[in-house]
Amino acid sequence: MAKRTIMAAGNWKMNKTPTEAVEFINGLKDIVTGCNSEVVTAVPFVCIPGAVEAAKGSNIKIAAQNVHWEASGAYTGEVSCEMLKDLGVDYVIIGHSERREYFGETNEMINKKARAILDAGMIPIICCGETLTQREQGVTAEHVRYQIKVALLGLSAQEVSELVIAYEPIWAIGTGKTATDEQAEEVCAIIRQLIAELYDNDVAEKTRILYGGSVNAGNAKALFSMPNIDGGLVGGASLKIDAFEKIVKHDQ
Ligand code: 13P
């Protein structure tokens, strides 16, 4: 079985102007040339054109942080998959806990978004993760399994083998309180096991499962070395070139 390529994905959230995005990508691209990880930056919608242009010819791929599932129509303020694809976007983050919490996104909506992203020829990065209360009450596995089960409804084995899942415990996001390597590994293994149940072992071995939640230059290596963790979805530490470089090059 071929080894899964580690992904270092930065989620900028609502940070950086289009000008700052271009400066950042220009600064990052030479530094990460030839690295072993797949490098992705998920930028705000308005930064996408400049980021794609700046990343041309480099090994940096550009992701969006959200999308609407409908092809077009009266959805004021929304952006379609075709629009993102046309700009040169490769990946789209969906189901981030901030979108679930502040914008009312449901598992069913995330499933529709995954379908639309795949139909448009892009790859979804599907986020899941439990609250601190859920962890303390011992329902983490059930909660995450349910989130992923609904998100994947109707997707083919081939599609699931190509997409990316990010396990992001909500209590670890932006708090500086990283899950231990073992806690992160345990849930990523549960997700892989679920994919094996829903599809088969071959699919489960191919799907990349990232950890997110206070990943930084100091903890990336140990986290990414766990057997079921295939990289990270990084918030705060992806906004500074030197910190993100160390995460990308965690194995060097
Ligand atoms: P932090 O790395 O800032 O904790 O954010 C994680 C995250 O939400 C990435 O999507």
Side-chain angles (χ1 to χ4, degrees), residues 101-129:
E101 184 180 349
Y102 308 137
F103 304 97
E105 293 201 4
T106 64
N107 292 322
E108 289 73 17
M109 289 158 79
I110 291 150
N111 176 241
K112 286 190 211 173
K113 291 180 187 211
R115 176 73 272 146
I117 293 163
L118 289 161
D119 286 345
M122 299 180 290
I123 298 180
I125 300 175
I126 304 174
C127 302
C128 61

PDB file of all heavy atoms in Angstrom, residues 101-129:
ATOM      1  N   GLU A 101     -20.913  26.539  14.232  1.00  0.00           N
ATOM      2  CA  GLU A 101     -21.365  27.265  15.413  1.00  0.00           C
ATOM      3  C   GLU A 101     -21.946  28.641  15.092  1.00  0.00           C
ATOM      4  O   GLU A 101     -23.000  29.001  15.595  1.00  0.00           O
ATOM      5  CB  GLU A 101     -20.185  27.424  16.398  1.00  0.00           C
ATOM      6  CG  GLU A 101     -20.610  28.084  17.694  1.00  0.00           C
ATOM      7  CD  GLU A 101     -19.459  28.245  18.684  1.00  0.00           C
ATOM      8  OE1 GLU A 101     -18.377  27.663  18.465  1.00  0.00           O
ATOM      9  OE2 GLU A 101     -19.664  28.968  19.673  1.00  0.00           O
ATOM     10  N   TYR A 102     -21.248  29.404  14.244  1.00  0.00           N
ATOM     11  CA  TYR A 102     -21.682  30.791  14.015  1.00  0.00           C
ATOM     12  C   TYR A 102     -22.635  30.943  12.838  1.00  0.00           C
ATOM     13  O   TYR A 102     -23.289  31.964  12.696  1.00  0.00           O
ATOM     14  CB  TYR A 102     -20.472  31.710  13.779  1.00  0.00           C
ATOM     15  CG  TYR A 102     -19.394  31.632  14.841  1.00  0.00           C
ATOM     16  CD1 TYR A 102     -18.050  31.604  14.490  1.00  0.00           C
ATOM     17  CD2 TYR A 102     -19.726  31.608  16.198  1.00  0.00           C
ATOM     18  CE1 TYR A 102     -17.054  31.537  15.449  1.00  0.00           C
ATOM     19  CE2 TYR A 102     -18.742  31.531  17.162  1.00  0.00           C
ATOM     20  CZ  TYR A 102     -17.405  31.497  16.780  1.00  0.00           C
ATOM     21  OH  TYR A 102     -16.422  31.429  17.739  1.00  0.00           O
ATOM     22  N   PHE A 103     -22.653  29.975  11.924  1.00  0.00           N
ATOM     23  CA  PHE A 103     -23.462  30.123  10.712  1.00  0.00           C
ATOM     24  C   PHE A 103     -24.460  28.981  10.535  1.00  0.00           C
ATOM     25  O   PHE A 103     -25.017  28.807   9.464  1.00  0.00           O
ATOM     26  CB  PHE A 103     -22.547  30.279   9.482  1.00  0.00           C
ATOM     27  CG  PHE A 103     -21.590  31.433   9.634  1.00  0.00           C
ATOM     28  CD1 PHE A 103     -20.288  31.228  10.064  1.00  0.00           C
ATOM     29  CD2 PHE A 103     -22.018  32.729   9.394  1.00  0.00           C
ATOM     30  CE1 PHE A 103     -19.410  32.292  10.252  1.00  0.00           C
ATOM     31  CE2 PHE A 103     -21.152  33.803   9.577  1.00  0.00           C
ATOM     32  CZ  PHE A 103     -19.849  33.593  10.002  1.00  0.00           C
ATOM     33  N   GLY A 104     -24.627  28.207  11.581  1.00  0.00           N
ATOM     34  CA  GLY A 104     -25.687  27.199  11.597  1.00  0.00           C
ATOM     35  C   GLY A 104     -25.546  26.081  10.585  1.00  0.00           C
ATOM     36  O   GLY A 104     -26.551  25.520  10.122  1.00  0.00           O
ATOM     37  N   GLU A 105     -24.329  25.727  10.217  1.00  0.00           N
ATOM     38  CA  GLU A 105     -24.179  24.652   9.229  1.00  0.00           C
ATOM     39  C   GLU A 105     -24.443  23.287   9.855  1.00  0.00           C
ATOM     40  O   GLU A 105     -23.998  22.997  10.962  1.00  0.00           O
ATOM     41  CB  GLU A 105     -22.777  24.702   8.615  1.00  0.00           C
ATOM     42  CG  GLU A 105     -22.611  25.947   7.789  1.00  0.00           C
ATOM     43  CD  GLU A 105     -21.496  25.853   6.756  1.00  0.00           C
ATOM     44  OE1 GLU A 105     -20.869  24.798   6.609  1.00  0.00           O
ATOM     45  OE2 GLU A 105     -21.269  26.876   6.106  1.00  0.00           O
ATOM     46  N   THR A 106     -25.165  22.474   9.130  1.00  0.00           N
ATOM     47  CA  THR A 106     -25.531  21.142   9.617  1.00  0.00           C
ATOM     48  C   THR A 106     -24.773  20.066   8.841  1.00  0.00           C
ATOM     49  O   THR A 106     -24.212  20.333   7.770  1.00  0.00           O
ATOM     50  CB  THR A 106     -27.031  20.892   9.409  1.00  0.00           C
ATOM     51  OG1 THR A 106     -27.286  20.903   7.979  1.00  0.00           O
ATOM     52  CG2 THR A 106     -27.873  21.969  10.077  1.00  0.00           C
ATOM     53  N   ASN A 107     -24.793  18.866   9.363  1.00  0.00           N
ATOM     54  CA  ASN A 107     -24.155  17.743   8.661  1.00  0.00           C
ATOM     55  C   ASN A 107     -24.752  17.559   7.266  1.00  0.00           C
ATOM     56  O   ASN A 107     -24.037  17.228   6.323  1.00  0.00           O
ATOM     57  CB  ASN A 107     -24.340  16.461   9.469  1.00  0.00           C
ATOM     58  CG  ASN A 107     -23.556  16.497  10.765  1.00  0.00           C
ATOM     59  OD1 ASN A 107     -22.438  17.000  10.806  1.00  0.00           O
ATOM     60  ND2 ASN A 107     -24.152  15.976  11.828  1.00  0.00           N
ATOM     61  N   GLU A 108     -26.062  17.776   7.154  1.00  0.00           N
ATOM     62  CA  GLU A 108     -26.730  17.592   5.853  1.00  0.00           C
ATOM     63  C   GLU A 108     -26.220  18.624   4.841  1.00  0.00           C
ATOM     64  O   GLU A 108     -26.003  18.310   3.671  1.00  0.00           O
ATOM     65  CB  GLU A 108     -28.252  17.711   6.019  1.00  0.00           C
ATOM     66  CG  GLU A 108     -28.907  16.543   6.747  1.00  0.00           C
ATOM     67  CD  GLU A 108     -28.641  16.504   8.261  1.00  0.00           C
ATOM     68  OE1 GLU A 108     -28.213  17.539   8.852  1.00  0.00           O
ATOM     69  OE2 GLU A 108     -28.843  15.433   8.858  1.00  0.00           O
ATOM     70  N   MET A 109     -26.034  19.857   5.292  1.00  0.00           N
ATOM     71  CA  MET A 109     -25.501  20.888   4.396  1.00  0.00           C
ATOM     72  C   MET A 109     -24.075  20.523   3.966  1.00  0.00           C
ATOM     73  O   MET A 109     -23.687  20.717   2.808  1.00  0.00           O
ATOM     74  CB  MET A 109     -25.492  22.251   5.103  1.00  0.00           C
ATOM     75  CG  MET A 109     -26.877  22.827   5.296  1.00  0.00           C
ATOM     76  SD  MET A 109     -26.926  24.043   6.637  1.00  0.00           S
ATOM     77  CE  MET A 109     -26.253  25.472   5.874  1.00  0.00           C
ATOM     78  N   ILE A 110     -23.318  19.990   4.897  1.00  0.00           N
ATOM     79  CA  ILE A 110     -21.927  19.629   4.600  1.00  0.00           C
ATOM     80  C   ILE A 110     -21.888  18.488   3.580  1.00  0.00           C
ATOM     81  O   ILE A 110     -21.053  18.475   2.676  1.00  0.00           O
ATOM     82  CB  ILE A 110     -21.202  19.300   5.927  1.00  0.00           C
ATOM     83  CG1 ILE A 110     -21.061  20.613   6.730  1.00  0.00           C
ATOM     84  CG2 ILE A 110     -19.844  18.649   5.693  1.00  0.00           C
ATOM     85  CD1 ILE A 110     -21.049  20.447   8.209  1.00  0.00           C
ATOM     86  N   ASN A 111     -22.831  17.575   3.690  1.00  0.00           N
ATOM     87  CA  ASN A 111     -22.937  16.491   2.706  1.00  0.00           C
ATOM     88  C   ASN A 111     -23.249  17.055   1.309  1.00  0.00           C
ATOM     89  O   ASN A 111     -22.645  16.631   0.306  1.00  0.00           O
ATOM     90  CB  ASN A 111     -24.019  15.504   3.151  1.00  0.00           C
ATOM     91  CG  ASN A 111     -24.260  14.399   2.148  1.00  0.00           C
ATOM     92  OD1 ASN A 111     -25.373  14.269   1.619  1.00  0.00           O
ATOM     93  ND2 ASN A 111     -23.250  13.614   1.865  1.00  0.00           N
ATOM     94  N   LYS A 112     -24.151  18.017   1.236  1.00  0.00           N
ATOM     95  CA  LYS A 112     -24.491  18.619  -0.073  1.00  0.00           C
ATOM     96  C   LYS A 112     -23.286  19.362  -0.640  1.00  0.00           C
ATOM     97  O   LYS A 112     -23.034  19.342  -1.844  1.00  0.00           O
ATOM     98  CB  LYS A 112     -25.645  19.614   0.088  1.00  0.00           C
ATOM     99  CG  LYS A 112     -26.995  18.967   0.299  1.00  0.00           C
ATOM    100  CD  LYS A 112     -28.050  20.074   0.193  1.00  0.00           C
ATOM    101  CE  LYS A 112     -29.238  19.782   1.064  1.00  0.00           C
ATOM    102  NZ  LYS A 112     -30.188  20.872   1.116  1.00  0.00           N
ATOM    103  N   LYS A 113     -22.540  20.026   0.229  1.00  0.00           N
ATOM    104  CA  LYS A 113     -21.348  20.752  -0.223  1.00  0.00           C
ATOM    105  C   LYS A 113     -20.294  19.775  -0.742  1.00  0.00           C
ATOM    106  O   LYS A 113     -19.671  20.018  -1.779  1.00  0.00           O
ATOM    107  CB  LYS A 113     -20.760  21.591   0.923  1.00  0.00           C
ATOM    108  CG  LYS A 113     -21.647  22.753   1.320  1.00  0.00           C
ATOM    109  CD  LYS A 113     -21.036  23.560   2.461  1.00  0.00           C
ATOM    110  CE  LYS A 113     -22.050  24.603   2.934  1.00  0.00           C
ATOM    111  NZ  LYS A 113     -21.438  25.825   3.443  1.00  0.00           N
ATOM    112  N   ALA A 114     -20.108  18.660  -0.032  1.00  0.00           N
ATOM    113  CA  ALA A 114     -19.110  17.668  -0.475  1.00  0.00           C
ATOM    114  C   ALA A 114     -19.468  17.161  -1.873  1.00  0.00           C
ATOM    115  O   ALA A 114     -18.595  17.071  -2.749  1.00  0.00           O
ATOM    116  CB  ALA A 114     -19.059  16.507   0.517  1.00  0.00           C
ATOM    117  N   ARG A 115     -20.755  16.867  -2.077  1.00  0.00           N
ATOM    118  CA  ARG A 115     -21.218  16.376  -3.393  1.00  0.00           C
ATOM    119  C   ARG A 115     -20.895  17.399  -4.483  1.00  0.00           C
ATOM    120  O   ARG A 115     -20.378  17.064  -5.546  1.00  0.00           O
ATOM    121  CB  ARG A 115     -22.725  16.103  -3.288  1.00  0.00           C
ATOM    122  CG  ARG A 115     -23.480  15.678  -4.503  1.00  0.00           C
ATOM    123  CD  ARG A 115     -23.188  14.227  -4.910  1.00  0.00           C
ATOM    124  NE  ARG A 115     -22.049  14.194  -5.794  1.00  0.00           N
ATOM    125  CZ  ARG A 115     -21.138  13.224  -5.862  1.00  0.00           C
ATOM    126  NH1 ARG A 115     -21.211  12.165  -5.079  1.00  0.00           N
ATOM    127  NH2 ARG A 115     -20.138  13.269  -6.688  1.00  0.00           N
ATOM    128  N   ALA A 116     -21.225  18.671  -4.209  1.00  0.00           N
ATOM    129  CA  ALA A 116     -21.037  19.722  -5.213  1.00  0.00           C
ATOM    130  C   ALA A 116     -19.546  19.955  -5.512  1.00  0.00           C
ATOM    131  O   ALA A 116     -19.156  20.160  -6.665  1.00  0.00           O
ATOM    132  CB  ALA A 116     -21.690  21.016  -4.731  1.00  0.00           C
ATOM    133  N   ILE A 117     -18.720  19.909  -4.489  1.00  0.00           N
ATOM    134  CA  ILE A 117     -17.278  20.135  -4.665  1.00  0.00           C
ATOM    135  C   ILE A 117     -16.675  19.035  -5.539  1.00  0.00           C
ATOM    136  O   ILE A 117     -15.910  19.297  -6.479  1.00  0.00           O
ATOM    137  CB  ILE A 117     -16.571  20.181  -3.281  1.00  0.00           C
ATOM    138  CG1 ILE A 117     -17.017  21.424  -2.502  1.00  0.00           C
ATOM    139  CG2 ILE A 117     -15.055  20.144  -3.419  1.00  0.00           C
ATOM    140  CD1 ILE A 117     -16.721  21.362  -1.006  1.00  0.00           C
ATOM    141  N   LEU A 118     -17.039  17.796  -5.248  1.00  0.00           N
ATOM    142  CA  LEU A 118     -16.516  16.670  -6.030  1.00  0.00           C
ATOM    143  C   LEU A 118     -17.020  16.748  -7.479  1.00  0.00           C
ATOM    144  O   LEU A 118     -16.264  16.515  -8.419  1.00  0.00           O
ATOM    145  CB  LEU A 118     -16.919  15.348  -5.385  1.00  0.00           C
ATOM    146  CG  LEU A 118     -16.191  15.057  -4.064  1.00  0.00           C
ATOM    147  CD1 LEU A 118     -16.932  14.016  -3.242  1.00  0.00           C
ATOM    148  CD2 LEU A 118     -14.761  14.601  -4.341  1.00  0.00           C
ATOM    149  N   ASP A 119     -18.289  17.106  -7.650  1.00  0.00           N
ATOM    150  CA  ASP A 119     -18.843  17.222  -9.006  1.00  0.00           C
ATOM    151  C   ASP A 119     -18.115  18.295  -9.809  1.00  0.00           C
ATOM    152  O   ASP A 119     -18.027  18.210 -11.031  1.00  0.00           O
ATOM    153  CB  ASP A 119     -20.343  17.554  -8.951  1.00  0.00           C
ATOM    154  CG  ASP A 119     -21.181  16.347  -8.539  1.00  0.00           C
ATOM    155  OD1 ASP A 119     -20.642  15.217  -8.588  1.00  0.00           O
ATOM    156  OD2 ASP A 119     -22.354  16.534  -8.169  1.00  0.00           O
ATOM    157  N   ALA A 120     -17.605  19.310  -9.115  1.00  0.00           N
ATOM    158  CA  ALA A 120     -16.906  20.402  -9.803  1.00  0.00           C
ATOM    159  C   ALA A 120     -15.429  20.077 -10.041  1.00  0.00           C
ATOM    160  O   ALA A 120     -14.696  20.879 -10.611  1.00  0.00           O
ATOM    161  CB  ALA A 120     -17.022  21.673  -8.973  1.00  0.00           C
ATOM    162  N   GLY A 121     -14.978  18.910  -9.566  1.00  0.00           N
ATOM    163  CA  GLY A 121     -13.589  18.518  -9.804  1.00  0.00           C
ATOM    164  C   GLY A 121     -12.617  19.071  -8.779  1.00  0.00           C
ATOM    165  O   GLY A 121     -11.415  19.176  -9.042  1.00  0.00           O
ATOM    166  N   MET A 122     -13.122  19.432  -7.599  1.00  0.00           N
ATOM    167  CA  MET A 122     -12.236  19.861  -6.513  1.00  0.00           C
ATOM    168  C   MET A 122     -12.328  18.829  -5.384  1.00  0.00           C
ATOM    169  O   MET A 122     -13.095  17.872  -5.464  1.00  0.00           O
ATOM    170  CB  MET A 122     -12.661  21.255  -6.000  1.00  0.00           C
ATOM    171  CG  MET A 122     -12.578  22.331  -7.081  1.00  0.00           C
ATOM    172  SD  MET A 122     -13.082  23.981  -6.487  1.00  0.00           S
ATOM    173  CE  MET A 122     -14.839  23.736  -6.255  1.00  0.00           C
ATOM    174  N   ILE A 123     -11.539  19.039  -4.344  1.00  0.00           N
ATOM    175  CA  ILE A 123     -11.488  18.058  -3.255  1.00  0.00           C
ATOM    176  C   ILE A 123     -11.933  18.701  -1.944  1.00  0.00           C
ATOM    177  O   ILE A 123     -11.378  19.736  -1.541  1.00  0.00           O
ATOM    178  CB  ILE A 123     -10.063  17.480  -3.111  1.00  0.00           C
ATOM    179  CG1 ILE A 123      -9.690  16.762  -4.414  1.00  0.00           C
ATOM    180  CG2 ILE A 123      -9.970  16.524  -1.913  1.00  0.00           C
ATOM    181  CD1 ILE A 123      -8.329  16.147  -4.412  1.00  0.00           C
ATOM    182  N   PRO A 124     -12.926  18.115  -1.274  1.00  0.00           N
ATOM    183  CA  PRO A 124     -13.336  18.660   0.019  1.00  0.00           C
ATOM    184  C   PRO A 124     -12.379  18.273   1.148  1.00  0.00           C
ATOM    185  O   PRO A 124     -11.839  17.168   1.160  1.00  0.00           O
ATOM    186  CB  PRO A 124     -14.719  18.032   0.270  1.00  0.00           C
ATOM    187  CG  PRO A 124     -14.858  16.900  -0.673  1.00  0.00           C
ATOM    188  CD  PRO A 124     -13.757  16.976  -1.696  1.00  0.00           C
ATOM    189  N   ILE A 125     -12.197  19.200   2.068  1.00  0.00           N
ATOM    190  CA  ILE A 125     -11.532  18.903   3.347  1.00  0.00           C
ATOM    191  C   ILE A 125     -12.650  19.006   4.386  1.00  0.00           C
ATOM    192  O   ILE A 125     -13.109  20.101   4.707  1.00  0.00           O
ATOM    193  CB  ILE A 125     -10.401  19.905   3.648  1.00  0.00           C
ATOM    194  CG1 ILE A 125      -9.332  19.862   2.555  1.00  0.00           C
ATOM    195  CG2 ILE A 125      -9.788  19.630   5.028  1.00  0.00           C
ATOM    196  CD1 ILE A 125      -8.214  20.915   2.708  1.00  0.00           C
ATOM    197  N   ILE A 126     -13.125  17.870   4.848  1.00  0.00           N
ATOM    198  CA  ILE A 126     -14.319  17.830   5.700  1.00  0.00           C
ATOM    199  C   ILE A 126     -13.906  17.845   7.172  1.00  0.00           C
ATOM    200  O   ILE A 126     -13.190  16.953   7.631  1.00  0.00           O
ATOM    201  CB  ILE A 126     -15.143  16.555   5.421  1.00  0.00           C
ATOM    202  CG1 ILE A 126     -15.514  16.473   3.933  1.00  0.00           C
ATOM    203  CG2 ILE A 126     -16.385  16.525   6.311  1.00  0.00           C
ATOM    204  CD1 ILE A 126     -16.208  15.173   3.540  1.00  0.00           C
ATOM    205  N   CYS A 127     -14.366  18.856   7.900  1.00  0.00           N
ATOM    206  CA  CYS A 127     -13.986  18.987   9.313  1.00  0.00           C
ATOM    207  C   CYS A 127     -15.019  18.335  10.236  1.00  0.00           C
ATOM    208  O   CYS A 127     -16.218  18.338   9.950  1.00  0.00           O
ATOM    209  CB  CYS A 127     -13.872  20.451   9.699  1.00  0.00           C
ATOM    210  SG  CYS A 127     -12.693  21.372   8.718  1.00  0.00           S
ATOM    211  N   CYS A 128     -14.518  17.823  11.329  1.00  0.00           N
ATOM    212  CA  CYS A 128     -15.383  17.250  12.354  1.00  0.00           C
ATOM    213  C   CYS A 128     -14.683  17.444  13.699  1.00  0.00           C
ATOM    214  O   CYS A 128     -13.524  17.830  13.743  1.00  0.00           O
ATOM    215  CB  CYS A 128     -15.603  15.757  12.090  1.00  0.00           C
ATOM    216  SG  CYS A 128     -14.082  14.785  12.106  1.00  0.00           S
ATOM    217  N   GLY A 129     -15.392  17.188  14.774  1.00  0.00           N
ATOM    218  CA  GLY A 129     -14.757  17.324  16.093  1.00  0.00           C
ATOM    219  C   GLY A 129     -15.771  17.615  17.182  1.00  0.00           C
ATOM    220  O   GLY A 129     -16.840  18.170  16.915  1.00  0.00           O
TER     221      GLY A 129
END
